[in-house]
Amino acid sequence: MAQVLEFKLPDLGEGLTEAEIVRWLVEVGDVVAIDQPVVEVETAKAMVEVPCPYGGVVTARFGEEGSELPVGAPLLTVAVGATDASSAAPVDDGAAAEEPSGGSGSGSGSGNVLVGYGTGAPAARRRRIRPERNTASAAPAAPAAPAVVSAPSRPAPVAVGEVNGRQGPVAVVSPLVRRLARQHEIDLRGLTGSGPDGLILRADVDSAIRQVGQATEAATRTAAEPVVAEASTAVASPSAAGAAAPATAERIPLRGVRGAVADKLSRSRSEIPDATCWVDADATELMAARAAMNAASGPSGGPKVSVLALLARICTAALARYPELNSTVDTAAREIVRLPGVHLGFAAQTERGLVVPVVRDAHTRNAESIGAEIARLTELARTGKLSPAQLTGGTFTLNNYGVFGVDGSTPIINHPEAAMLGVGRIMPKPWVHQGELAVRQVVQLSLTFDHRVCDGGTAGGFLRYVADCVEQPAVLLRTL
């Protein structure tokens, strides 16, 4: 006899307590293998596929796409040991499991659930188990039961075009595209992507939304024609005009990345007594040094070095001189904790919102190595594939808001760190150079720091050292 086991949303780590269901990868009645991904969820830090530790037939799913579930809430139930449809009859979404499992060890479970990964066993090809329609031994009323039980509990999404039997993952990278399609009930499996390798872009979803909107508008116009005269009279009436409902404000839930950012920034403002100092620096020599590095060929050549990579290397050198800023405050113990290594975070704007990937052990890397790691993490951030571990554990943050075309800012510290360096745009400005007025490449640098870990003299010394390295990159040769 099949045993029905309940799979709960696992602890995704890094202090996350809930996740939003983005897309179900299995249906009720599908056969799943051990550690096969069954649902794609979005947390405050990343989008991951959750594998199921049991192998068998899916009998129930809990939660609609777009809903949030807390850690420990049931995700789905699996009939382990089922060999046919009669041994694992599908039930409605949200139905209770036939027997509680409690996560006990079983020979059919992996016992080692890794978010976004499996144990190495290849995922079995999913197939739908459907009840036989023409069974000699079935009672006359039996065929009606599967139809009622297997009916979806939510309205089916509007499909644009034919699905053509396409199964498996949909060719969509952007979480924004998925959310847009979900909000307008567009079935992504029915769309043909216009991007590379059939990738579905936002333009494809927008086009599908317009098609559905035009069809709905045409149907509404046809139905409304007989009552045009009545509607015109009612609108012209003063009482009807006065009764018109006022426009309402849009309410957007603070959840996902936006909610995590709101919580972290609010905590930073409430806990950290921060202060900001800034200075303008002549970056002409730094830009010239970068151009020389990238122009080198032969044995001395290599990958292109970005301005952000050079600034990151300057930060690690400055933190070696001023370790007070590479620390955190233990409020419970009332202690300042100076950290032994520099894990450098950098702010990156993505379609999901602002994220801060972390370059591990940045103090052991040169500019080329830091630049390569920044490029790798930026690509993962762009595609929404950063893991929670790659977004946490930073000790100091570099924020290049100059990419938005602004000169200065007073950044909020990335709690529980102690400081953040902000970098404005580098642009030509009049500057006194060697006693004469000249046009130079000027940048504004700002340092926001936790006043509990140091005083203004330390913060000013750090910022001045960074500015000196920007103006005279040869200063860095002392630490290389």
Side-chain angles (χ1 to χ4, degrees), residues 276-288:
T276 302
C277 53
W278 56 89
V279 65
D280 290 341
D282 180 1
T284 305
E285 296 299 328
L286 180 70
M287 301 303 289

Side-chain angles (χ1 to χ4, degrees), residues 1-7 32 52 54-60 76-84 86-89 97-109:
M1 178 180 293
Q3 179 184 12
V4 178
L5 301 179
E6 183 181 77
F7 175 42
V32 297
C52 179
Y54 310 122
V57 179
V58 177
T59 59
L76 49 78
T77 55
V78 178
V80 177
T83 56
D84 53 29
S86 62
S87 64
E98 295 179 15
E99 343 177 340
S101 69
S104 59
S106 172
S108 53

Side-chain angles (χ1 to χ4, degrees), residues 35-205:
D35 285 340
Q36 175 181 331
V38 293
V39 65
E40 189 178 61
V41 300
E42 181 179 15
T43 70
K45 297 184 181 296
M47 185 176 296
V48 294
E49 292 182 348
V50 180
C52 179
Y54 310 122
V57 179
V58 177
T59 59
R61 300 186 319 191
F62 301 93
E64 306 289 343
E65 293 180 352
S67 63
E68 285 191 346
L69 292 180
V71 170
L75 266 180
L76 49 78
T77 55
V78 178
V80 177
T83 56
D84 53 29
S86 62
S87 64
V91 299
D92 261 344
D93 290 357
E98 295 179 15
E99 343 177 340
S101 69
S104 59
S106 172
S108 53
S110 74
N112 184 23
V113 181
L114 302 177
V115 177
Y117 303 90
T119 58
R125 184 177 180 182
R126 297 196 303 271
R127 61 185 178 88
R128 174 66 61 83
I129 293 183
R130 300 181 184 276
E132 297 292 339
R133 296 187 179 182
N134 299 321
T135 305
S137 60
V148 174
V149 172
S150 62
S153 61
R154 61 179 183 274
V158 178
V160 180
E162 296 184 358
V163 173
N164 294 328
R166 189 191 307 177
Q167 301 292 333
V170 181
V172 180
V173 170
S174 169
L176 178 63
V177 173
R178 292 185 186 277
R179 183 177 291 108
L180 185 64
R182 186 168 65 247
Q183 289 173 346
H184 293 272
E185 297 185 335
I186 300 297
D187 189 350
L188 289 172
R189 294 172 299 173
L191 300 184
T192 300
S194 60
D197 299 325
L199 183 68
I200 298 177
L201 307 177
R202 178 169 183 171
D204 302 322
V205 176

Side-chain angles (χ1 to χ4, degrees), residues 414-469:
N414 187 19
H415 184 278
E417 298 170 12
M420 176 185 292
L421 180 70
V423 182
R425 59 178 175 171
I426 302 175
M427 62 180 302
K429 287 185 178 180
W431 188 267
V432 176
H433 176 65
Q434 295 180 351
E436 296 182 357
L437 188 63
V439 176
R440 306 286 286 180
Q441 299 291 323
V442 179
V443 62
Q444 185 180 95
L445 306 170
S446 61
L447 177 71
T448 298
F449 64 98
D450 186 341
H451 228 311
R452 295 174 297 178
V453 303
C454 69
D455 296 324
T458 300
F462 175 93
L463 187 59
R464 187 63 256 171
Y465 178 80
V466 171
D468 289 344
C469 291

Side-chain angles (χ1 to χ4, degrees), residues 307-308 347-349 399-407 423-426:
V307 175
L308 188 61
Q349 190 70 36
N399 186 0
N400 181 22
Y401 44 74
V403 296
F404 302 117
V406 297
D407 296 328
V423 182
R425 59 178 175 171
I426 302 175

Side-chain angles (χ1 to χ4, degrees), residues 11 16 31 39 83 91 122 146 161 184 245 255 262 282 288 306 308-309 317 334 350 358-359 403 419 439 447 467 479:
D11 182 0
L16 301 177
V31 176
V39 65
T83 56
V91 299
H184 293 272
R255 63 186 187 186
D282 180 1
S306 66
L308 188 61
R334 293 184 61 82
T350 70
V358 177
V359 178
V403 296
V439 176
L447 177 71
T479 60

